[in-house]
């Protein structure tokens, strides 16, 4: 399997996956295409920029077996891009079809030339008791081993390759499904076992109900649990068709997503927006200018017959999902994924809960570049967790000064600090002092380190002392740590209002300290 990561930010990444039917740039959203009852032409999706779709191999087998084998899945559904096939674990259960086993499904997916076939899994769903969830995970792993038997036999037969050769670039990329849902130790076990079996591409199963319950924090936990063991492998998230879930999952390092949300929501008169969904009959205006919304008003939408309305709504929904992926990719390129996720989190309290959970996780730093060409923006206290800020504070925590006197001064808009007129004045008055500026987000900034990213390249919100109370307390914490590490005889602090208030709450323990009032004339 070839999966090349090109750009990263947080744990998000832009990658290139090589398949039998061309390269797929990730993150990618794969709309669900029904093999029998599809209302939007798959080729329309391709024209819209969806280079991959997912369809159901089980339903295809039941309804079009011979035709599908003869034509191949691409011609059968008329799509010349990348086709992933879900082996239909849910449907097999739903119809109680015991005749279809993992080997049959594996052979069939090979026969129809699926690019990304999925093993026949046993979805744990959500809120399944632990004992049964364990049985389902074991059954999925058993299926995975049976599938590998089929793959090896096929590779032997075709290429006379060694039986242990799992990654045949001319063949499909097999997808191992991680089950376990909210039982995180099962998610962990499932991931480790699938990796041992030899899968290179993973899919996280059973998150649909978790997402429907808006339990984004649990979703984040599930993704983080799986990612820990397979950080560099591509990871698919099943059933993620909501822009909020997609943005969170991309930030945590999921690469592909699929959903039928575009059509399911459309049938339910639901209109996807970048921040959630709206009921069509609750809208007065259409907050979108896609080709569908540009030519229809809400009134026109409502007066359409049901099938036209469903199709038009579904097309709009697809445009929004495409937009979401494009915006996320650009945010990764710009190194602004953090800002984007925080913005998204402001649109739903449950997403903010998830962000609060992941904000300090090491994975958020894993793909964040050390140097960025664009300034980091800091708005409020959550931005103290921005990986660039954390990394900077950790660096300063190891800084040791050779000076015996120290002066602290508020960060200025003009950066680096040594190029500001304030600094020029200060070094005249305080010759030989260790000069530092301080920031609510970066903590202490020794002048020697003030031209390092993001100290030299950020823009922060300096206003609203009350809002920043937490951050000012963080400055005092940083000051204390800095003074503990270095043993200065004399300390001078130019304290702005926020820091003065904070110092009143948390006095510094030093016997030679001068606190001078700093009036910020920028306000
Ligand atoms: Zn639209």
């Amino acid at each position: 399997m070839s999966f090349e990561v090109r750009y990263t930010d947080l744990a998000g990444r832009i990658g290139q996956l090589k398949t039998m039917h061309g390269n797929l740039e990730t993150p990618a959203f794969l709309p669900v295409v029904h093999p029998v009852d599809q209302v939007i032409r798959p080729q329309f999706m391709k024209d819209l920029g969806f280079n991959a779709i997912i369809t159901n191999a089980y339903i295809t087998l039941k309804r079009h077996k011979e035709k599908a084998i003869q034509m191949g899945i691409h011609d059968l559904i008329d799509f010349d891009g990348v086709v992933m096939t879900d082996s239909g674990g849910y449907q097999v259960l739903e119809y109680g079809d015991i005749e279809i086993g993992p080997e049959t499904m594996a052979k069939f997916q090979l026969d129809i030339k699926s690019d990304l076939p999925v093993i026949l899994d046993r979805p744990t769903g959500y809120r399944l008791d632990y004992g049964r969830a364990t049985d389902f995970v074991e059954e999925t792993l058993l299926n995975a081993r049976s599938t590998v038997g089929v793959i090896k036999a096929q590779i032997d037969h075709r290429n006379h390759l060694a039986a242990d050769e799992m990654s045949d670039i001319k063949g499909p990329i097999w997808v191992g499904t991680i089950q376990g849902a909210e039982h995180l130790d099962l998610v962990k076990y499932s991931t480790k076992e699938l990796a041992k079996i030899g899968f290179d591409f993973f899919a996280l199963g059973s998150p649909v109900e978790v997402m429907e319950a808006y339990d984004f924090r649990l979703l984040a936990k599930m993704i983080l649990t799986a990612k820990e063991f397979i950080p560099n492998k591509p990871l698919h998230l099943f059933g993620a068709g909501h822009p909020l879930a997609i943005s969170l999952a991309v930030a945590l390092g999921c690469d592909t997503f699929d959903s039928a949300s575009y059509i399911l929501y459309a049938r339910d008169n639901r209109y996807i927006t970048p921040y959630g969904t709206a009921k069509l009959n609750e809208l007065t205006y259409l907050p979108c200018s896609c080709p569908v919304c540009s030519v229809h008003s809400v009134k026109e939408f409502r007066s359409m017959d049901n099938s036209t309305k469903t199709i038009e709504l579904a097309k709009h929904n697809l445009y929004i999902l495409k937009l979401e992926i494009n915006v996320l990719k650009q945010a990764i390129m710009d190194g602004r994924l953090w800002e984007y996720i925080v913005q998204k989190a402001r649109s739903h309290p449950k997403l903010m809960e998830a962000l609060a959970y992941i904000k300090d996780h090491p994975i958020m730093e894993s793909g964040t570049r050390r140097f960025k060409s664009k300034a980091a923006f800091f708005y409020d206290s959550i931005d103290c967790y921005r990986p660039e800020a954390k990394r900077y504070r950790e660096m300063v925590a190891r800084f040791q000064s050779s000076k015996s006197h120290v002066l602290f001064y508020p960060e200025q808009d003009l950066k680096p600090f040594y190029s500001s007129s304030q600094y020029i004045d200060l070094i005249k008055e305080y010759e030989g002092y260790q000069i530092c500026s301080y920031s609510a987000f970066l903590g202490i900034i020794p002048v020697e380190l003030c031209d390092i990213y993001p100290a030299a390249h950020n823009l922060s919100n300096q206003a609203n002392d009350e809002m920043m109370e937490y951050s000012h307390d963080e400055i005092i914490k940083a000051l204390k740590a800095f003074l503990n590490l270095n043993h200065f005889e004399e300390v001078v602090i130019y304290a702005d209002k926020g820091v003065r208030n904070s110092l009143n709450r948390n006095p510094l323990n030093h016997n030679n300290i001068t606190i001078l009032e700093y009036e910020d004339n920028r306000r």
Side-chain angles (χ1 to χ4, degrees):
M1 185 205 62
S2 161
F3 177 62
E4 185 193 332
V5 172
R6 297 189 161 174
Y7 301 95
T8 59
D9 198 24
L10 305 182
R13 51 201 184 183
I14 295 179
Q16 184 95 255
L17 182 73
K18 268 190 196 161
T19 79
M20 294 190 297
H21 288 82
N23 292 342
L24 178 64
E25 188 178 82
T26 62
F29 177 80
L30 285 63
V32 170
V33 166
H34 197 284
V36 179
D37 178 26
Q38 179 61 21
V39 289
I40 306 275
R41 281 184 312 109
Q43 211 52 42
F44 170 82
M45 296 169 176
K46 184 88 190 294
D47 296 342
L48 224 118
F50 292 104
N51 292 322
I53 58 95
I54 184 168
T55 192
N56 187 301
Y58 174 75
I59 297 172
T60 308
L61 185 148
K62 283 284 163 191
R63 302 287 292 273
H64 295 300
K65 186 178 176 189
E66 297 309 325
K67 207 170 148 195
I69 293 173
Q70 195 190 357
M71 295 173 78
I73 190 69
H74 296 76
D75 285 346
L76 184 80
I77 60 169
D78 188 25
F79 185 78
D80 61 5
V82 176
V83 175
M84 182 171 184
T85 46
D86 184 0
S87 56
Y90 270 112
Q91 286 76 19
V92 174
L93 284 181
E94 201 178 316
Y95 304 125
D97 194 338
I98 46 161
E99 281 168 34
I100 303 290
E103 291 93 351
T104 317
M105 277 317 301
K107 280 184 197 134
F108 181 67
Q109 291 183 89
L110 284 172
D111 287 343
I112 62 174
K113 299 186 176 57
S114 167
D115 298 295
L116 292 162
V118 180
I119 59 162
L120 182 65
D121 58 346
R122 186 86 192 253
T124 34
Y126 184 32
R127 297 192 173 126
L128 189 70
D129 67 71
Y130 188 82
R132 289 181 66 211
T134 309
D135 293 344
F136 283 23
V137 164
E138 290 295 359
E139 192 179 327
T140 300
L141 290 171
L142 212 59
N143 288 358
R145 291 185 189 101
S146 308
T147 304
V148 167
V150 173
I151 304 166
K152 284 182 176 171
Q154 192 248 4
I155 292 173
D156 273 349
H157 173 71
R158 205 179 51 204
N159 295 334
H160 307 289
L161 284 176
D164 61 352
E165 191 82 41
M166 269 283 289
S167 54
D168 172 13
I169 45 162
K170 292 188 212 93
I173 300 165
W174 283 91
V175 183
T177 312
I178 300 163
Q179 290 296 347
E182 72 269 43
H183 307 294
L184 299 177
D185 59 330
L186 293 181
V187 172
K188 181 174 158 180
Y189 169 69
S190 187
T191 312
K192 280 168 96 169
E193 288 301 308
L194 287 167
K196 262 192 235 164
I197 294 171
F199 286 89
D200 272 332
F201 197 113
F202 297 79
L204 188 58
S206 303
V208 177
E209 293 105 322
V210 175
M211 283 184 265
E212 275 168 8
Y214 282 83
D215 197 344
F216 295 126
R217 183 164 49 182
L218 175 57
L219 178 66
K221 285 182 185 175
M222 288 164 60
I223 297 171
L224 288 172
T225 305
K227 284 290 291 186
E228 193 184 338
F229 302 99
I230 46 164
N232 302 318
K233 302 286 185 188
L235 180 62
H236 179 85
L237 184 62
F238 274 120
H242 192 290
L244 295 182
I246 293 174
S247 60
L248 174 71
V250 165
L252 291 176
C254 292
D255 304 290
T256 53
F257 313 89
D258 77 277
S259 176
S261 62
Y262 69 99
I263 186 73
L264 298 177
Y265 289 173
R267 286 189 184 127
D268 193 29
N269 284 319
R270 278 162 85 193
Y271 182 94
I272 300 183
T273 77
Y275 300 98
T277 63
K279 281 269 182 192
L280 189 61
N281 60 14
E282 287 168 359
L283 287 176
T284 309
Y285 303 99
L286 296 177
C288 174
S289 55
C290 78
V292 176
C293 301
S294 301
V295 295
H296 295 306
S297 65
V298 174
K299 214 171 149 190
E300 282 166 355
F301 251 117
R302 284 194 198 132
S303 62
M304 288 172 189
D305 65 79
N306 258 340
S307 69
T308 313
K309 186 164 63 181
T310 301
I311 290 172
E312 294 301 291
L313 263 178
K315 284 182 177 173
H316 154 82
N317 288 344
L318 283 169
Y319 277 110
I320 296 295
L321 291 165
K322 185 67 185 52
L323 173 75
E324 185 61 35
I325 295 290
N326 281 358
V327 172
L328 279 161
K329 285 201 275 203
Q330 190 60 43
I332 293 173
M333 292 288 293
D334 289 343
R336 295 207 176 284
L337 193 52
W338 172 271
E339 275 131 300
Y340 186 69
I341 292 301
V342 174
Q343 258 179 44
K344 284 275 174 184
R346 297 239 175 262
S347 59
H348 202 288
K350 289 285 176 188
L351 193 60
M352 188 56 95
E353 258 177 43
L355 180 63
Y357 178 75
I358 63 174
K359 67 184 189 310
D360 223 7
H361 195 284
I363 202 173
M364 301 292 274
E365 213 182 303
S366 62
T368 302
R369 308 193 282 278
R370 295 217 157 252
F371 305 101
K372 292 182 174 179
S373 59
K374 291 196 163 62
F377 287 173
F378 296 116
Y379 301 86
D380 62 26
S381 53
I382 188 115
D383 296 318
C384 289
Y385 293 94
R386 203 184 152 129
E388 296 92 329
K390 276 175 61 186
R391 199 180 265 161
Y392 188 83
R393 294 197 306 268
E394 281 160 17
M395 178 181 66
V396 173
R398 297 187 301 271
F399 177 84
Q400 283 192 304
S401 173
S402 57
K403 313 276 173 64
S404 56
H405 299 62
V406 65
L407 174 127
F408 298 100
Y409 201 82
E411 189 188 34
Q412 302 297 303
D413 279 346
L414 185 67
K415 295 179 181 77
F417 185 50
Y418 57 60
S419 58
S420 66
S421 60
Q422 287 87 347
Y423 177 76
I424 311 290
D425 293 342
L426 286 171
I427 49 166
K428 284 180 202 149
E429 203 180 334
Y430 297 94
E431 209 190 320
Y433 277 59
Q434 168 68 50
I435 309 249
C436 302
S437 54
Y438 60 80
S439 134
F441 304 97
L442 300 179
I444 307 304
I445 307 166
V447 73
E448 292 85 346
L449 303 180
C450 76
D451 51 6
I452 290 176
Y453 186 85
H457 214 178
N458 77 75
L459 196 60
S460 58
N461 165 20
Q462 307 274 354
N464 198 341
D465 288 333
E466 283 72 34
M467 184 171 103
M468 301 298 289
E469 196 169 280
Y470 164 83
S471 310
H472 286 117
D473 285 350
E474 287 296 302
I475 294 179
I476 306 305
K477 248 205 251 169
L479 263 172
K480 285 183 176 171
F482 194 77
L483 293 176
N484 275 339
L485 186 71
N486 296 280
H487 302 282
F488 297 110
E489 290 162 21
E490 189 201 351
V491 179
V492 179
I493 304 172
Y494 278 81
D496 60 20
K497 197 175 149 207
V499 167
R500 283 202 301 276
N501 290 339
S502 206
L503 278 171
N504 286 338
R505 287 192 298 273
N506 313 287
L508 291 177
N509 184 18
H510 196 284
N511 49 21
N512 188 4
I513 184 162
T514 312
I515 296 171
L516 300 165
E517 254 183 49
Y518 172 81
E519 272 321 312
D520 191 348
N521 44 27
R522 289 170 302 182
R523 295 185 194 169

